Amino acid sequence: MSGRSMRMWQVGRRWIFIAGLAVTVAALGIGLKVYRDFGALTQPPPIADLSLSVVVLDRNDQLLRAFTSQDEKWRLPIELKDVDPLYLKMLLAFEDKRFFEHDGIDFIALARSGLSSLRQGRIVSGGSTLTMQVARLLSETPTRTLSRKYDQMLRAVQLEKTFSKDEILQMYLLRAPFGGNLEGVRAASLTWLGKEPRRLTPAEAALLVALPQSPEARRPDRAPENAKRARNRVLERAVAAGVLTAEEASAAAREAVRNRRFAMPLIAPHESRRARLSDRDAAVHRLTIERDLQASLEKFARQGIGTYAEPISLAIIVADHQSGEILASIGSPDLLNGSRLGHVDMTRAKRSPGSTLKPFIYGLAFEEGIGLPDSFIVDRATNIGGYQPTNFDLTYQGTVTLREALQLSLNTPAVQLLEAVGPARLIARLKRAGVRPVIKDDTAPGLAISLGGLGLSLNELTQTYAALARGGRPVSLRVCRRNCASAATAPVPVAVLSAKASWFVGDILTGLPQATGAETGEIAYKTGTAYGYRDAWALGFDGRHTVGIWVGRPDGSPVPGQTGAKSAVPLLFGVFQKLGPKRAPMIKAPPEARLALEREVPGPLRFARLPGRPVQAQQAEGLQIAYPPDGAELDLGLVGASGGINSSQPMIVKFKGGTAPFSILVNGAPLPEKTRKRQLVWQPDFPGFANVTILDAKGSSARVSVLLR
C-alpha cells in the first residue's frame, strides 16, 4: 500500500470512528432522553379509578338504569367475559393482530405504515396498536404531531409494564368512542343495537369495531351509509383473517344499519334514584327488583293510568313475603310525565289508608277472645264518646257475623271492635310490623284510626300485609341486595298477630269476590278509600306474594267517585295475573283455628263481647239467602244479540245466618266441597232457570230459583 493510500485509509478509519462515536453518543443521548422521559411519566390510573357511569342492577345483574359519568359520558362498566368473543376476534383482526405478541409498539406495523404512506403520498394508517390507542384515550389528546406520537408510544410501553393484556383490552372496551357522549362498547351496544354486547351477530360486531375509527362521521343516526361502508370493510378484513367465512360476511354485509338510537334503560327509576342517593360513593347498586316483571308492570301501569284524567297517578309494590325482597316497585306510571307529577315516588308518600287497617282490628279482636269469625255483631248507628261513624253507603246491615262485617268493610263494627281492643294497642301492633304511622298533631290515637285517621305509605302497608300473609310473623321488606335504605323501618321480632288470628283474617279476606278466570286463583285482599275520595287502596296476598296498589292524586286533592274497589282492585288482580297463573298456597290453618271453625260458636261468643255493653239478647238469624231474591231474572249476558249463547258473567249468591260449614246444590247437583264462605260464585253454561239450595251444618236449608239470561 502506498503512503498516500495509507494516509487515506487512516483518515477514513478516523472518520468512521468519529461517525460511530457520534452515532453512539446520539443513540446514548436518545436512549437517555427516552429513559428520562419514561421515568417522568405519571403512573396510569387503575381501571377502578376511571370515571364510569354509575349503574343499577336487578336481582340477576341485569341493567335497570345507568347515570352518566362525572364528565357527562355514557361509559358503562364492562368485563371481557360480558362481551361476545366474536367481537373481540374481529377487533384484534382489524386493529392489532399482534396484540398478544408486542410490548405496546408493533414496529412491523409502524414500518409498513411508513412505507405505505410514502408510496401514497399521504398517511394511510398510523400503525397504532390497541395499547397505543388506549394511551391516547386515557390522555384524551389527539395524535397529530410526532411529539404526541412519541409520548403515546412511551405511555403504551408503560401500560404494558403496568397492566395485563386483558386489562388493557378492557380499558379499550371502556373508553373507545362511539359518537356523541357514548364511550365504551357496552354503551354503544345498548344505544346503537338495543342490547347488551354478550351475544352479537357478525354485522353487529363489525359495526362496533368500525365506529371508533371515526365516531362522528359514522354515527348510525346521522350517517348510516358511512357506518355501513365502514362495517363492511371490517367484515372483509375478518374474512382475510379467517374470523368469518365469505358466506357469513356476505350475509352480514346485506343487513341494514338502524338509523335511530335506542333509549338507555330506565327501569325502576324511583328505586334506582333512591339507591344512588343512599350511597353516592358506590359505582354499582344491586337491587332485588326483577327486571322483566318490573318492566312488564311499568307498561301495565302506563296502560292502566290511561283511563284516568290527569293528574291522577298510581303506585304498585310487589314483594316476596317469604324472603322479604321487593320484586317490583312503581312510584308512578311515568317518571317524565310532569302533568301527573311522575317524579314523586308515591310508594313512600304518607297518606290516609282508609279501611285497609280493619283486618288488623279484627285480628286483635280474635286474638283477645272478643269473638270468632262467625260471632255476631250489630251494625247500627253508634255513638261512642261523641264519635258517630257511619258506613260508606250511609246504610246499616243489622246483625251480621264478624266475617261478613269485615268482608263488607262495615265501619261501625270496626269502630266498636277498636274501642274494645284499644287504639293504642293497634298502633303498637303496627309498629311491630316495622311501620311508623303519622298521627295528626302527635295526639294520642283515637277511634278514627279505624277508618284511616292516620298516615301510612304504600311501602308500610305492604310490609304490614306481608306480616299478615306470614301468619303474623313480621318481615322487613328490602329493595337492596346489600346495605341501603330499606323499604320501611325494621320490624320488632315479635308477632304482629297470633298465627290463629292471622289465619282467621286471611280466610275471611279470601272470601271476597275473586276475578273471573282461572289465572288469578285465590287471593286474600282488602280495599280502602280515604276520606273525601283522596286515596284508593287495594292490598292482597297469596302464599308467596304480597301486592300493594294506590291510586289518587299526588297533591292529595279529592277524586270524586274513586274507591278502592273500583280503581285499585282491577289493578291488583291484573298484577297477580302478571305474576303467573299458579297461586302459591296460603299458610296452613293452625289446628286450633281449624277446630274453632268446625265447632259451633260457644254461647258466650255467639255475639262479640264488647266491654261496657250488655251481650245482645237476639238469637242468631236462621239461614237465609240475601241475594238474589227468589224469582229474580238475572241478565248475565248468556244470550247474544243473534240468539246464540255467549260466555257470561258468573252468578253470585250471598247468604247469611246458619252454621258453617255449608253444602251447596245447584239444580240438584251438589258442589264437590263444603265451604265456610257465605257466598257462591257459579259460572252457568246455558240460559234458563237455576235452582240453588244451601244446607248448613245443622240441617237448615234455604232455596232460591232464578231465571238466567
Side-chain angles (χ1 to χ4, degrees):
M1 180 181 294
S2 65
R4 176 183 173 83
S5 297
M6 179 63 71
R7 285 193 300 271
M8 290 181 65
W9 180 76
Q10 290 175 343
V11 170
R13 284 185 60 189
R14 187 180 299 116
W15 279 109
I16 291 172
F17 174 77
I18 293 172
L21 181 62
V23 170
T24 301
V25 171
L28 288 173
I30 293 173
L32 181 61
K33 174 177 172 52
V34 171
Y35 176 78
R36 287 175 176 173
D37 290 344
F38 187 83
L41 292 175
T42 58
Q43 191 68 17
I47 296 176
D49 289 349
L50 298 179
S51 177
L52 303 179
S53 295
V54 173
V55 295
V56 184
L57 308 179
D58 84 334
R59 63 191 301 105
N60 300 310
D61 285 340
Q62 296 186 84
L63 182 65
L64 293 172
R65 185 180 183 182
F67 298 86
T68 54
S69 62
Q70 294 179 357
D71 53 352
E72 300 299 321
K73 299 288 180 65
W74 290 112
R75 190 184 296 127
L76 278 63
I78 189 73
E79 297 182 12
L80 293 184
K81 64 181 178 61
D82 296 323
V83 180
D84 194 318
L86 176 63
Y87 166 79
L88 298 176
K89 291 177 182 178
M90 295 177 73
L91 174 67
L92 296 178
F94 190 78
E95 293 284 2
D96 192 351
K97 62 183 179 181
R98 281 181 289 276
F99 174 71
F100 288 102
E101 300 169 13
H102 61 66
D103 293 322
I105 304 171
D106 188 346
F107 291 101
I108 297 175
L110 284 174
R112 184 172 57 249
S113 173
L115 291 174
S116 298
S117 299
L118 287 174
R119 284 197 297 268
Q120 299 291 331
R122 59 184 177 85
I123 297 177
V124 177
S125 63
S128 294
T129 62
L130 274 177
T131 312
M132 293 168 65
Q133 293 184 48
V134 170
R136 174 175 57 81
L137 293 171
L138 292 179
S139 64
E140 297 185 343
T141 55
T143 306
R144 294 177 180 173
T145 64
L146 289 176
S147 63
R148 289 277 175 82
K149 193 75 170 181
Y150 168 71
D151 292 339
Q152 186 185 111
M153 294 168 71
L154 289 181
R155 178 67 76 176
V157 174
Q158 183 194 42
L159 289 174
E160 292 279 348
K161 290 182 175 296
T162 306
F163 300 104
S164 68
K165 288 289 187 179
D166 283 352
E167 289 174 325
I168 293 170
L169 194 53
Q170 183 183 2
M171 287 183 180
Y172 179 85
L173 299 182
L174 287 169
R175 297 301 298 263
F178 285 89
N181 65 340
L182 296 176
E183 285 193 5
V185 69
R186 189 178 182 191
S189 185
L190 289 168
T191 301
W192 300 129
L193 306 178
K195 61 193 292 189
E196 294 278 3
R198 294 188 185 94
R199 295 289 181 270
L200 301 173
T201 67
E204 292 169 342
L207 178 66
L208 295 180
V209 170
L211 292 181
Q213 297 300 309
S214 187
E216 293 303 323
R218 297 174 181 175
R219 280 182 56 163
D221 60 337
R222 296 180 180 177
E225 289 303 317
N226 288 351
K228 184 176 182 179
R229 284 193 292 270
R231 178 201 69 185
N232 291 350
R233 285 195 292 272
V234 174
L235 291 171
E236 293 172 1
R237 188 78 63 85
V239 173
V243 175
L244 294 177
T245 65
E247 292 77 12
E248 290 172 330
S250 178
R254 291 193 294 270
E255 293 185 21
V257 172
R258 177 187 166 93
N259 61 359
R260 288 184 295 136
R261 295 173 63 128
F262 288 90
M264 197 65 72
L266 184 59
I267 302 173
H270 295 93
E271 291 296 352
S272 297
R273 179 180 62 191
R274 183 179 176 85
R276 188 187 184 192
L277 293 176
S278 69
D279 186 357
R280 292 182 175 274
D281 295 329
V284 180
H285 300 273
R286 293 178 169 85
L287 305 186
T288 62
I289 297 293
E290 187 175 306
R291 176 189 163 114
D292 291 345
L293 175 64
Q294 176 78 27
S296 174
L297 291 181
E298 287 181 7
K299 181 179 179 181
F300 172 73
R302 288 191 294 270
Q303 293 171 341
I305 204 63
T307 60
Y308 294 94
E310 297 174 348
I312 297 175
S313 185
L314 64 84
I316 300 172
I317 291 180
V318 178
D320 181 338
H321 56 246
Q322 295 177 353
S323 66
E325 295 178 338
I326 293 177
L327 305 179
S329 178
I330 300 172
S332 70
D334 186 351
L335 176 75
L336 305 179
N337 189 331
S339 60
R340 296 189 191 272
L341 299 182
H343 64 283
V344 179
D345 183 357
M346 293 307 300
T347 66
R348 290 181 171 81
K350 298 277 190 174
R351 308 301 285 258
S352 166
S355 297
T356 59
L357 296 183
K358 287 178 181 175
F360 300 93
I361 298 173
Y362 282 78
L364 279 172
F366 297 144
E367 190 175 301
E368 294 295 318
I370 292 171
L372 292 169
D374 290 328
S375 298
F376 288 97
I377 193 169
V378 179
D379 176 35
R380 62 186 176 187
T382 303
N383 187 326
I384 305 176
Y387 183 58
Q388 303 179 48
T390 59
N391 288 324
F392 188 80
D393 59 3
L394 302 180
T395 65
Y396 298 96
Q397 301 297 313
T399 303
V400 294
T401 65
L402 295 185
R403 180 186 300 274
E404 292 168 331
L406 179 53
Q407 289 176 343
L408 294 172
S409 196
L410 301 177
N411 288 344
T412 59
V415 173
Q416 293 177 66
L417 293 174
L418 182 60
E419 182 197 23
V421 301
R425 183 169 295 177
L426 175 62
I427 295 297
R429 293 304 180 92
L430 294 177
K431 289 182 177 180
R432 286 187 185 184
V435 305
R436 293 295 177 264
V438 174
I439 300 176
K440 187 177 180 180
D441 301 326
D442 293 327
T443 57
L447 296 177
I449 66 174
S450 61
L451 308 182
L454 47 70
L456 287 172
S457 70
L458 180 62
N459 253 300
E460 292 175 315
L461 276 173
T462 306
Q463 179 158 307
T464 306
Y465 271 76
L468 187 61
R470 289 163 51 90
R473 296 179 295 113
V475 61
S476 179
L477 300 186
R478 64 186 186 279
V479 74
C480 293
R481 285 191 274 159
R482 296 182 180 176
N483 294 333
C484 78
S486 299
T489 308
V492 178
V494 182
V496 176
L497 290 173
S498 69
K500 176 182 175 181
S502 297
W503 188 86
F504 278 157
V505 171
D507 182 61
I508 291 171
L509 296 183
T510 58
L512 291 170
Q514 302 287 318
T516 57
E519 290 93 3
T520 54
E522 192 173 70
I523 298 167
Y525 70 96
K526 182 70 182 74
T527 64
T529 305
Y531 176 77
Y533 301 99
R534 285 175 169 80
D535 304 278
W537 306 87
L539 283 296
F541 58 87
D542 62 8
R544 179 186 175 190
H545 297 108
T546 300
V547 176
I549 307 288
W550 170 87
V551 180
R553 292 179 56 148
D555 61 6
S557 54
V559 183
Q562 171 186 262
T563 66
K566 275 195 334 188
S567 301
V569 167
L571 295 171
L572 180 79
F573 282 113
V575 170
F576 272 104
Q577 287 177 332
K578 295 287 185 184
L579 290 172
K582 294 183 179 179
R583 299 270 67 83
M586 300 284 193
I587 57 173
K588 293 183 178 180
E592 64 273 20
R594 175 62 67 187
L595 187 62
L597 289 187
E598 289 175 350
R599 293 175 175 176
E600 184 176 352
V601 178
L605 292 180
R606 199 71 173 153
F607 277 83
R609 297 189 296 184
L610 302 175
R613 299 187 183 188
V615 175
Q616 290 90 334
Q618 300 97 321
Q619 295 298 314
E621 297 179 7
L623 181 61
Q624 302 176 33
I625 293 180
Y627 177 86
D630 189 41
E633 293 186 13
L634 303 181
D635 186 358
L636 303 181
L638 280 163
V639 181
S642 61
I645 298 175
N646 290 338
S647 59
S648 68
Q649 301 175 3
M651 181 179 76
I652 297 177
V653 178
K654 296 183 179 181
F655 47 96
K656 60 182 180 178
T659 303
F662 302 97
S663 300
I664 302 176
L665 293 85
V666 179
N667 293 329
L671 297 186
E673 295 182 1
K674 293 184 178 182
T675 179
R676 295 185 171 277
K677 300 176 182 177
R678 297 175 184 269
Q679 177 175 280
L680 164 67
V681 180
W682 177 63
Q683 186 70 51
D685 296 324
F686 302 98
F689 283 98
N691 300 312
V692 179
T693 302
I694 312 295
L695 300 173
D696 76 354
K698 291 186 175 181
S700 299
S701 66
R703 182 176 180 277
V704 66
S705 179
V706 296
L707 177 62
L708 306 181
R709 294 189 286 108

